[in-house]
């Protein structure tokens, strides 16, 4: 008896922020990242998470590398480089990343410079966006990427998808799907259930 054929949904192209610089823009990105950690934006929350969470501290300096003030940008690039070395993280400062980045356990993360990451995404520890010859992965909005996951070459991860821990993703992932395994296969639907404290992005 033949198994029913599951209709394959076309993966929508992810949307990405324009990456414009300026202190106002940088502050907006920092606020959005803070909201993902704290669920609120305040001076007290900023101080608490900056001092006690290396993931947020890393994000702050990553965002400020795009500051229009040259002194702030130079300082930010130096701090970003130092934290990258300390934590074993390789996320290029020029990488297009949307609002609301969350790095719960900041260690051993490698993202190819040709990758793209949308809004309200979560990166687990030891995640790799790899590419030897093509552009790297394009990740939509509200995507959870579990620890030790590997995204191989130019795959597209649809918005709301969940990539299970240890997955090796070699094919596109439809929006809202959960995949796991090596190679990664669809095991269910998540619709971004693991993305908490979403930052509202005006379109």
């Amino acid at each position: 008896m033949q198994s029913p054929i599951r209709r394959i949904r076309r993966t929508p192209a992810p949307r990405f922020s324009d990456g414009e610089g300026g202190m106002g823009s940088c502050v907006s990105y920092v606020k959005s990242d803070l909201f993902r950690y704290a669920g609120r934006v305040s001076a007290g929350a900023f101080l608490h998470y900056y001092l006690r969470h290396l993931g947020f501290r890393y994000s702050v300096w990553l965002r400020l590398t795009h500051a229009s003030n040259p002194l702030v940008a130079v300082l930010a690039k130096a701090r970003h480089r130092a934290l990258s070395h300390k934590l074993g993280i390789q996320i290029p400062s020029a990488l297009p990343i949307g609002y609301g980045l969350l790095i719960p356990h900041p260690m051993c993360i490698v993202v190819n410079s040709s990758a793209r990451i949308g809004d309200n995404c979560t990166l687990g520890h030891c995640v790799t966006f790899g590419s030897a010859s093509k552009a790297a992965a394009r990740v939509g909005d509200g995507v959870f990427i579990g620890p030790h996951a590997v995204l191989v070459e130019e795959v597209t991860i649809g918005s709301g998808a969940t990539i299970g821990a240890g997955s090796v993703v070699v094919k596109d992932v439809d929006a809202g799907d959960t995949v796991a395994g090596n190679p990664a296969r669809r095991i269910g639907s998540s619709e971004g259930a693991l993305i908490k404290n979403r930052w509202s992005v005006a379109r």
Side-chain angles (χ1 to χ4, degrees):
M1 183 177 181
Q2 292 184 338
S3 59
I5 298 175
R6 184 174 72 90
R7 171 176 270 181
I8 303 298
R9 293 172 293 158
R10 184 178 179 183
T11 303
R15 299 172 297 179
F16 302 102
S17 302
D18 57 17
E20 292 181 355
M23 282 305 297
S25 176
C26 290
V27 170
S28 295
Y29 280 100
V30 170
K31 285 181 177 179
S32 72
D33 295 345
L34 175 60
F35 189 81
R36 291 295 316 284
Y37 287 88
R40 66 187 189 281
V41 175
S42 67
F46 177 89
L47 187 61
H48 174 84
Y49 281 89
Y50 182 84
L51 294 176
R52 302 193 62 175
H53 202 297
L54 285 173
F56 177 64
R57 191 184 308 172
Y58 182 88
S59 291
V60 169
W61 292 113
L62 174 65
R63 301 301 198 177
L64 289 178
T65 60
H66 297 280
S68 56
N69 184 312
L71 294 179
V72 173
V74 168
L75 174 61
K77 288 176 182 178
R79 293 298 301 142
H80 172 249
R81 189 160 47 245
L83 282 171
S84 295
H85 179 74
K86 177 179 179 178
L87 300 172
I89 297 178
Q90 296 180 30
I91 299 180
S93 60
L95 186 77
I97 302 176
Y99 291 93
L101 177 65
L102 176 63
I103 308 175
H105 304 286
M107 62 184 72
C108 304
I109 298 171
V110 179
V111 182
N112 186 282
S113 60
S114 60
R116 302 289 185 272
I117 300 175
D119 300 316
N120 292 309
C121 289
T122 298
L123 303 182
H125 57 277
C126 301
V127 163
T128 300
F129 288 55
S131 177
S133 57
K134 304 177 182 178
R138 295 177 61 85
V139 176
D141 300 333
V143 173
F144 179 93
I145 303 176
H148 294 272
V150 180
L151 279 58
V152 181
E153 299 293 349
E154 196 174 4
V155 294
T156 297
I157 312 300
S159 294
T162 297
I163 311 300
S167 298
V168 179
V169 182
V170 296
K171 297 189 299 184
D172 291 354
V173 176
D174 287 338
D177 278 358
T178 297
V179 300
N182 181 8
R185 294 181 175 85
R186 184 181 187 275
I187 60 171
S189 179
S190 59
E191 301 294 343
L194 297 180
I195 301 298
K196 309 299 182 184
N197 298 333
R198 291 173 182 264
W199 179 259
S200 179
V201 182
R203 296 296 184 186

